[in-house]
């Protein structure tokens, strides 16, 4: 039996092909923007050709297929979702427009926030004429103050249908306390428009926070029909070749969902692809004995950074996507526009790299597909880092002259530099941007980047990690054997996962002595019982469950998820949770920053539930017959040193335990590993490369 995991990036579609024996092979096909499922099929054909069999025969041997996608993110950012209507409590129709008064600046880069003229309210995902006020009211305890006016509600639903909506979002005040009105509205929509895509906030995200809950529900409805069509199309493309096994989709929270479920969890797929890489890094960290890991995925369009602390990925309960908020737990991944296809431009005498990308069409100038602007990949070719004749193992020849011309015309001449200096400048700007992101991600979470190893993956990750890791002060870089398709590897090895939350609204007042005098453990226990039952219904009785309680000091906005013990919580557990929360708060924000005297709120209970999937066991690399010798030397430009002779190795010639002193290049068919001057690289027994760095500070 074989297993396939795929991940669609901006430039390449990656495929990981696993066997029961633990063999792992990687294939890359150009992403096909007009029909992204075609890129997946192209990558599967490459895998079949490598085995000398037809695609039908490959499918016959396939037992499991998993997929990571940026389709949800792309559709949302590009505003290509469905025409969506919203049913809200009358008097609160403007919740999405008000955005807690954050709409003018939320999601903008820091340099734009500081300039008032750059601020602007984002384009609404649901226009005002598609929002209907519903006569109903529930109080904060769940009591019905105003009954649902069903006749008026039907008229509102019919009005939306007449305006051509494809989806309807339902978000009523305090529905997480009493979902009866929302549930009835769902039934009314189904009666009036059978087959309409409907999302109710009380089912998707039953938490406090009117705006965040409404925003998440609206986004799920807005993306639902698009993702439903996308996943159905992908599934149909694979099924037509005879595959009858399970198809799973990577979701943002750290696992996979059945394709049939994922189609209705569109908002849960917003960081689907990047989450796969973090999960794969978590498992590799366990294998190699690294509990604290910085993950760095440098692909064709972006540079995505995640954090693994004590063996667990760092999660966030609310994140910003396209200037709006999604209040669903997800692996925290921070991205900037710095990938191999990021375009370099000179603006007012200053060199800028990214965030615009050449993508796969037309791609970097060196691809010879019509691109004329210089990219990071073009700079790597100009500097001798990437061998133009060995790109993708020789399957794709690069145009060195086109790369030189692009860098000369758009960067070197405007800045009065040589082509090599200009290309080196492009790399230096990009690498410093990436190093800065690594520092920000760790320091803002309360950690020191020097206490982490870096896992560098993505097609361009290993090519740049030697420098940006050194600038960030990181001493060890791990280049995974699956690095060029690490996110795809995470999709096929990721466990099934579901996350459930429930608002509880318990608090200890200002100047409390014991939190247990005010917070009822029975309320916490009932909440956990309810969502744990949902988790077991979704994943089965053998599910592994981790429990958390969202806590914050009173009248503050940001909460921290604190692990809660298993079993029935007692009063002493409530008091211990407050102590843990206070300690964690000061770890993140600094000593003596806790505001215990102000009181503590217990806002939400949450469970993260996982169920393992079948996956092969990793095996050691057989180094027998490997020469451990370079196949040649070539001139490579390193910043600050000019061109130097560097040893060139082919990865198939390198076995475990052999030290490679920099400057050196290790070429793989799917990526280029750079070992900088003064650094040493070595393959460990499972085939992953370790680069030891002397930090520059």
């Amino acid at each position: 039996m074989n297993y396939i995991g795929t991940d669609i990036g901006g430039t390449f579609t990656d495929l990981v092909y696993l066997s029961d024996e633990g063999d792992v092979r990687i294939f890359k096909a150009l992403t096909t923007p007009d029909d992204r499922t075609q890129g997946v099929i192209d990558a599967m054909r490459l895998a079949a050709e490598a085995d000398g069999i037809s695609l039908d025969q490959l499918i016959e041997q396939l037992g499991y297929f998993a997929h990571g996608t940026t389709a949800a993110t792309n559709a949302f950012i590009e505003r290509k979702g469905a025409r969506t209507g919203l049913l809200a409590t009358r008097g609160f129709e403007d919740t999405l427009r008000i955005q807690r008064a954050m709409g003018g600046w939320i999601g903008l880069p820091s340099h734009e926030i500081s300039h008032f003229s750059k601020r602007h309210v984002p384009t609404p995902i649901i226009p005002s004429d598609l929002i209907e006020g519903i006569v109903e009211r529930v109080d904060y305890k769940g009591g019905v103050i105003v009954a649902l006016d069903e006749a008026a509600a039907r008229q509102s639903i019919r009005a939306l249908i007449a305006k051509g909506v494809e989806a309807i979002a339902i978000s009523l005040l305090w529905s997480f306390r009493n979902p009866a009105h929302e549930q009835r509205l769902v039934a009314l929509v189904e009666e009036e428009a059978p087959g309409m895509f409907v999302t109710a906030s009380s089912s998707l995200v039953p938490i406090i926070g009117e705006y965040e809950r409404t925003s998440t529900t609206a986004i799920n409805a807005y993306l639902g029909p698009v993702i439903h069509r996308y996943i159905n199309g992908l599934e149909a493309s694979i099924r037509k070749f005879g595959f009858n096994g399970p198809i799973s989709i990577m979701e943002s929270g750290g696992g996979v969902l059945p394709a049939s479920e994922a189609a209705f969890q569109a908002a849960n797929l917003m960081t689907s692809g990047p989450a796969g890489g973090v999960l794969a890094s978590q498992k590799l960290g366990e294998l190699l004995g690294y509990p604290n890991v910085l993950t760095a995925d440098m692909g064709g369009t972006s540079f995505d950074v995640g954090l693994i602390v004590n063996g667990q990925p760092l999660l966030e309960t609310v994140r910003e996507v396209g200037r709006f908020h999604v209040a669903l737990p997800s692996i925290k991944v921070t991205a900037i526009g710095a990938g191999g296809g990021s375009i370099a431009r000179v603006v007012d005498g200053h060199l800028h790299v990214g965030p615009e990308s050449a993508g796969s069409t037309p791609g970097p100038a060196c691809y010879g597909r019509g691109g004329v602007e210089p990219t990071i990949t073009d700079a790597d070719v100009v500097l001798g880092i990437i061998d133009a004749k060995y790109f993708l193992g020789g399957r794709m020849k690069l145009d060195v002259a086109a790369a030189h011309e692009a860098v000369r015309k758009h960067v070197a001449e405007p800045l009065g530099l040589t082509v090599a200096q200009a290309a080196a400048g492009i790399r230096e700007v990009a690498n410093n941007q990436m190093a800065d992101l690594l520092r920000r991600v760790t320091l803002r979470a309360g950690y020191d980047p020097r206490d982490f190893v870096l896992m560098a993956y993505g097609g361009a990750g290993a090519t740049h990690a030697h420098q940006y890791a050194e600038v960030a002060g990181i001493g060890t870089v791990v280049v995974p054997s699956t690095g060029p398709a690490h996110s795809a590897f995470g999709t096929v090895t990721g466990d099934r996962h579901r996350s459930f939350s429930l608002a509880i609204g318990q608090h200890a007042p200002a100047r409390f002595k014991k939190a247990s005098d005010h917070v009822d453990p029975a309320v916490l226990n009932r909440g956990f019982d309810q969502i744990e039952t949902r988790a077991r219904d979704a994943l089965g009785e053998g599910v592994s469950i981790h429990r958390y309680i969202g806590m914050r000091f009173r009248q503050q906005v940001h909460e921290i998820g604190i692990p809660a013990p298993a079993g029935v919580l007692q009063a002493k557990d409530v008091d211990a949770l407050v102590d843990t929360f206070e300690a964690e708060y000061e770890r993140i924000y600094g000593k003596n920053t806790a505001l215990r005297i102000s009181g503590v709120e217990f806002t939400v209970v949450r469970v993260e539930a996982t169920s393992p999937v079948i996956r092969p066991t990793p095996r050691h690399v057989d180094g027998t017959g490997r020469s451990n010798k370079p196949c040649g030397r070539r001139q490579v430009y390193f910043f600050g040193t000019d061109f130097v002779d560097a040893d060139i190795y082919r990865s198939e010639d390198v076995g475990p335990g052999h030290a490679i002193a920099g400057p050196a290049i290790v070429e793989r068919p799917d990526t280029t590993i750079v070992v900088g001057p003064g650094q040493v690289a070595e393959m460990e027994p499972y085939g992953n490369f370790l680069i030891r760095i002397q930090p520059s500070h």
Side-chain angles (χ1 to χ4, degrees):
M1 182 184 295
N2 296 322
Y3 312 78
I4 282 179
T6 58
D7 176 59
I8 299 178
T11 305
F12 287 100
T13 295
D14 301 332
L15 182 145
V16 171
Y17 191 40
L18 283 73
S19 71
D20 267 331
E21 293 76 29
D23 292 321
V24 180
R25 288 182 290 166
I26 294 171
F27 301 91
K28 283 178 172 283
L30 285 170
T31 292
T32 48
D34 293 337
D35 178 10
R36 292 177 180 269
T37 60
Q38 184 58 48
V40 174
I41 300 301
D42 291 344
M44 293 175 71
R45 289 188 192 280
L46 291 175
E49 291 170 7
D51 281 354
I53 59 177
S54 68
L55 182 54
D56 295 288
Q57 290 172 310
L58 180 139
I59 295 292
E60 287 177 10
Q61 302 169 13
L62 186 62
Y64 179 67
F65 179 91
H67 180 62
T69 177
T70 57
T73 304
N74 293 340
F76 186 65
I77 291 175
E78 296 169 8
R79 291 294 190 270
K80 293 182 178 178
R83 186 171 174 80
T84 303
L86 171 65
L87 302 179
T89 300
R90 179 168 291 183
F92 295 83
E93 295 93 336
D94 289 329
T95 295
L96 284 179
R97 287 183 173 275
I98 296 171
Q99 290 188 261
R100 289 193 187 275
M102 298 181 291
W105 56 269
I106 200 70
L108 291 176
S110 56
H111 69 275
E112 291 189 9
I113 293 175
S114 61
H115 292 278
F116 193 83
S117 61
K118 295 287 187 180
R119 299 185 184 187
H120 61 280
V121 177
T123 303
I125 53 175
I126 301 180
S128 297
D129 65 326
L130 296 182
I131 299 176
E132 293 284 331
I134 302 298
V135 177
E136 68 87 39
R137 196 63 181 267
V138 173
D139 68 13
Y140 74 101
K141 293 182 179 179
V144 176
I145 299 175
V146 177
L148 175 66
D149 187 334
E150 292 196 12
R154 283 187 187 274
Q155 290 179 358
S156 294
I157 294 167
R158 290 169 181 167
L160 293 177
I161 294 169
K163 293 176 181 177
V165 301
E166 295 180 68
I168 292 179
I170 304 171
S171 183
L172 306 178
L173 284 179
W174 301 105
S175 59
F176 57 90
R177 292 274 189 251
N178 182 350
H181 287 176
E182 283 197 358
Q183 291 170 350
R184 182 57 184 153
L185 285 174
V186 170
L188 293 178
V189 171
E190 290 173 349
E191 290 175 13
E192 296 293 333
M196 176 75 71
F197 191 95
V198 184
T199 300
S201 72
S202 54
S203 298
L204 180 69
V205 53
I207 63 171
I208 196 167
E210 175 196 350
Y211 159 62
E212 289 82 1
R213 182 161 45 86
T214 303
S215 174
T216 305
T217 305
I219 289 170
N220 196 77
Y222 178 73
L223 296 176
V226 176
I227 298 305
H228 192 73
R229 289 191 291 269
Y230 171 81
I231 291 178
N232 284 349
L234 175 68
E235 188 168 7
S237 296
I238 297 169
R239 298 289 187 204
K240 74 179 181 181
F241 291 100
F243 179 59
N244 295 313
I247 295 177
S248 296
I249 308 297
M250 175 60 63
E251 51 96 34
S252 304
V256 292
L257 297 170
S260 57
E261 231 178 280
F264 296 96
Q265 294 272 334
N268 242 331
L269 306 183
M270 298 292 272
T271 53
S272 167
V278 178
L279 283 181
S281 298
Q282 176 194 20
K283 290 186 167 49
L284 181 55
E286 291 174 358
L287 184 68
L288 301 182
Y290 295 126
N292 296 325
V293 177
L294 255 172
T295 69
D297 179 0
M298 185 181 179
T301 57
S302 67
F303 180 69
D304 304 329
V305 175
L307 199 60
I308 298 168
V309 180
N310 295 325
Q312 295 298 318
L314 199 65
L315 298 177
E316 57 185 347
T317 54
V318 180
R319 65 189 184 279
E320 302 160 15
V321 180
R323 308 287 311 280
F324 289 89
H325 286 81
V326 177
L328 292 169
S330 64
I331 291 177
K332 184 174 177 60
V333 176
T334 307
I336 58 172
S342 293
I343 296 170
R345 294 190 176 110
V346 176
V347 180
D348 297 328
H350 297 279
L351 176 60
H352 296 259
V353 181
E356 297 83 10
S357 173
S360 60
T361 305
C366 61
Y367 281 14
R369 297 164 61 90
V372 295
E373 293 186 284
T375 66
I376 295 174
T377 298
D378 291 309
D380 291 338
V381 170
V382 167
L383 299 175
I385 291 168
I386 292 177
D387 184 348
K389 297 178 181 178
Y390 193 65
F391 194 71
L392 292 183
R395 283 197 301 111
M396 183 175 175
K397 306 297 183 184
L398 300 183
D399 188 335
V400 179
H404 269 267
E405 178 60 17
V407 174
R408 182 195 66 78
K409 180 178 179 181
H410 295 280
V411 179
E413 285 192 355
L415 294 179
L417 302 173
T418 66
V419 172
Q421 289 171 334
I426 293 171
R427 275 182 59 93
E428 185 72 3
V429 169
N431 287 334
N432 275 278
Q433 289 176 170
M434 292 184 279
D436 181 61
L437 182 61
L438 294 175
R439 287 189 292 252
R440 281 192 285 125
V441 165
T442 47
L443 293 173
R444 288 182 179 179
Y447 299 100
D448 188 332
R450 294 171 295 185
D451 296 333
F452 289 75
V453 301
L454 178 82
M455 286 200 185
Y457 52 93
T463 311
H464 290 258
H466 75 285
Q467 187 175 3
Y468 65 68
E470 181 176 13
V471 173
I474 297 167
T476 300
V477 173
V478 179
V479 179
S481 60
T482 55
H486 204 49
S487 292
F489 183 71
T491 67
V492 74
T493 56
D495 295 325
R496 294 175 62 211
H497 173 267
R498 289 299 302 272
S499 177
F500 296 97
S501 302
L502 184 68
I504 50 174
Q506 294 281 293
H507 70 270
R511 302 182 185 280
F512 70 93
K513 292 183 179 180
K514 292 177 62 179
S516 55
D517 292 337
H518 310 277
V519 176
D520 186 357
V523 174
L524 307 183
N525 289 322
R526 284 196 298 270
F528 276 126
D529 287 345
Q530 182 176 335
I531 57 180
E532 285 178 19
T533 297
R534 293 180 64 192
R536 291 188 176 93
D537 288 344
L539 297 178
E541 286 299 321
V543 66
S544 173
I545 291 178
H546 292 87
R547 313 200 307 177
Y548 299 88
I549 296 180
M551 300 175 66
R552 66 187 180 190
F553 289 113
R554 294 203 71 192
Q555 299 184 359
Q556 285 200 345
V557 175
H558 302 292
E559 69 179 40
I560 299 174
I562 301 300
V568 178
L569 298 178
Q570 308 290 336
K572 62 181 177 60
D573 298 313
V574 171
D575 296 326
L577 283 165
V578 172
D579 292 338
T580 302
F581 165 65
E582 185 176 30
E584 180 66 5
Y585 189 95
E586 293 200 348
R587 186 198 64 76
I588 295 173
Y589 298 107
K591 189 172 177 59
N592 298 323
T593 57
L595 301 170
R596 190 184 186 110
I597 194 173
S598 69
V600 176
E601 297 181 6
F602 289 59
T603 59
V604 65
V605 292
R606 188 179 89 246
V607 298
E608 301 291 334
T610 57
S611 177
V613 301
I614 299 172
R615 52 178 170 263
T617 302
R619 66 178 185 178
H620 286 175
V621 171
D622 182 4
T624 306
R626 303 198 181 199
S627 68
N628 292 318
K629 294 181 180 179
C631 63
R633 292 171 68 82
R634 72 167 176 261
Q635 289 273 291
V636 177
Y637 191 108
F638 288 90
F639 190 85
T641 63
D642 211 322
F643 282 99
V644 298
D645 280 329
D647 289 328
I648 309 299
Y649 292 80
R650 291 286 168 84
S651 58
E652 62 269 23
D653 295 332
V654 180
H658 175 71
I660 298 175
I665 302 283
V666 181
E667 294 179 334
R668 290 178 41 156
D670 41 29
T671 193
T672 299
I673 303 170
V674 179
V675 186
Q679 301 174 1
V680 177
E682 178 183 335
M683 180 188 285
E684 57 79 50
Y686 289 100
N688 307 287
F689 275 90
L690 307 180
I691 303 175
R692 308 293 183 185
I693 298 172
Q694 275 302 120
S696 58
H697 60 282

